Amino acid sequence: MNAPTFDPRDPLAGEYRPVPYRPTVPTAEVADQRQRQFLDRMQQRRSIRDFSTEPVPIELVERAILTAGSAPSGAHAQPWTFAVVGDPDVKAAIRAAAEEEERRSYDGRMPDDWLAALHRLGTDEVKSHLTDAPWLVIVFAQAHYLDGDSGYTRKHYYVQESVGIAVGLLLASLQLAGLATLTHTPSPMKFLAEICGRPANERPYVVIPVGRPAPDATVPDIARKSLDEIMVRI
Ligand SMILES: Cc1cc2nc3c(=O)[nH]c(=O)nc-3n(C[C@H](O)[C@H](O)[C@H](O)COP(=O)(O)O)c2cc1C
């Protein structure tokens, strides 16, 4: 194989430098216990749409974002940015823009089968979670690499897959911290890039309100598929 030519402006380009990998391996008993506890915590995760305004320490959110940043990514491009919003005015602007888009969606833009699927979740165009939750984590996917100084750009690989895995880790970490989240995708959500002032290579991926559930929060009574339904042994 010919050695590739490196562009000095490309942070991903470089020589292969292997280093030893020596993870700590738990005993079978500890591994079993940890995995069961993790499953139990994750099975308790629900999408929460009614948030308390109770404050939550930023450190919990920061640690969850660091955890998200441990995700694998195509060619190790790490094509994600996590914008954290706590400012009430910015949250209000996001809510107003999201509700405007959602109103259009619920009033005709969404096909009937989509509306039917949402009906049992009890969602509508009112998005109070966007102002009630103490933090909004807005995840941006970097469609390509962009060096703001030189204007150098290069494709990013498997961006959607990479950011999806990172968001999964983020949600898991917040759940372990006892926090409530919602995976919210107002559609279209271009307004988020404008409000957050993100560069041209970043696309809004999801908005995640983070906080505590309101004392009177409810969730839809829906079931998760069993192991038999989601696993096949080949
Ligand atoms: C990619 C994605 C987009 C979603 N978008 C929304 C949304 O815009 N609004 C909303 O209320 N819930 C949204 N959800 C939450 C789902 O409705 C929810 O995960 C599903 O009903 C299962 O409920 P659970 O999360 O409580 O297990 C979204 C979830 C995913 C994974």
Side-chain angles (χ1 to χ4, degrees):
M1 194 175 67
N2 292 334
T5 44
F6 298 146
D7 189 311
R9 296 168 301 176
D10 188 343
L12 293 190
E15 298 297 340
Y16 175 53
R17 281 201 318 271
V19 291
Y21 176 62
R22 310 248 191 278
T24 48
V25 180
T27 63
E29 194 186 330
V30 170
D32 186 75
Q33 192 190 15
R34 276 191 201 160
Q35 207 186 20
R36 281 173 195 278
Q37 278 176 356
F38 186 68
L39 173 62
D40 180 59
R41 296 304 311 158
M42 290 305 115
Q43 283 180 330
Q44 287 184 41
R45 185 207 56 77
R46 292 303 312 268
S47 290
I48 297 304
R49 298 178 178 87
D50 310 308
F51 280 80
S52 150
T53 55
E54 184 189 333
V56 159
I58 182 78
E59 289 75 18
L60 299 181
V61 177
E62 289 175 342
R63 210 176 292 134
I65 291 172
L66 263 182
T67 305
S70 74
S73 60
H76 194 46
Q78 305 173 80
W80 43 62
T81 304
F82 301 88
V84 181
V85 180
D87 183 318
D89 293 338
V90 181
K91 287 195 290 181
I94 290 171
R95 176 175 173 182
E99 287 185 338
E100 196 181 316
E101 292 294 356
E102 300 267 6
R103 211 170 294 120
R104 282 196 212 128
S105 296
Y106 279 89
D107 286 351
R109 214 160 42 183
M110 277 193 281
D112 276 353
D113 55 349
W114 193 349
L115 285 172
L118 291 181
H119 185 70
R120 67 180 183 149
L121 302 180
T123 60
D124 58 24
E125 64 274 27
V126 180
K127 303 298 175 189
S128 48
H129 50 261
L130 292 174
T131 44
D132 288 345
W135 302 108
L136 302 180
V137 178
I138 305 176
V139 184
F140 290 91
Q142 297 165 5
H144 53 269
Y145 172 70
L146 171 65
D147 178 13
D149 294 334
S150 67
Y152 171 77
T153 69
R154 191 231 325 108
K155 185 178 158 41
H156 272 163
Y157 312 96
Y158 299 106
V159 173
Q160 297 299 312
E161 294 83 349
S162 304
V163 179
I165 295 168
V167 168
L169 292 177
L170 180 83
L171 295 176
S173 175
L174 293 166
Q175 173 68 15
L176 285 183
L179 295 171
T181 55
L182 174 65
T183 316
H184 184 192
T185 44
S187 174
M189 52 179 156
K190 227 177 116 204
F191 66 87
L192 289 167
E194 285 153 29
I195 292 176
C196 296
R198 299 311 305 159
N201 63 325
E202 294 190 4
R203 312 271 180 275
Y205 186 88
V206 68
V207 184
I208 304 176
V210 178
R212 310 264 178 216
D216 58 351
T218 57
V219 291
D221 183 12
I222 51 177
R224 290 183 174 141
K225 291 181 178 175
S226 68
L227 187 61
D228 284 346
E229 290 171 292
I230 62 173
M231 174 177 159
V232 285
R233 279 192 79 158
I234 311 288

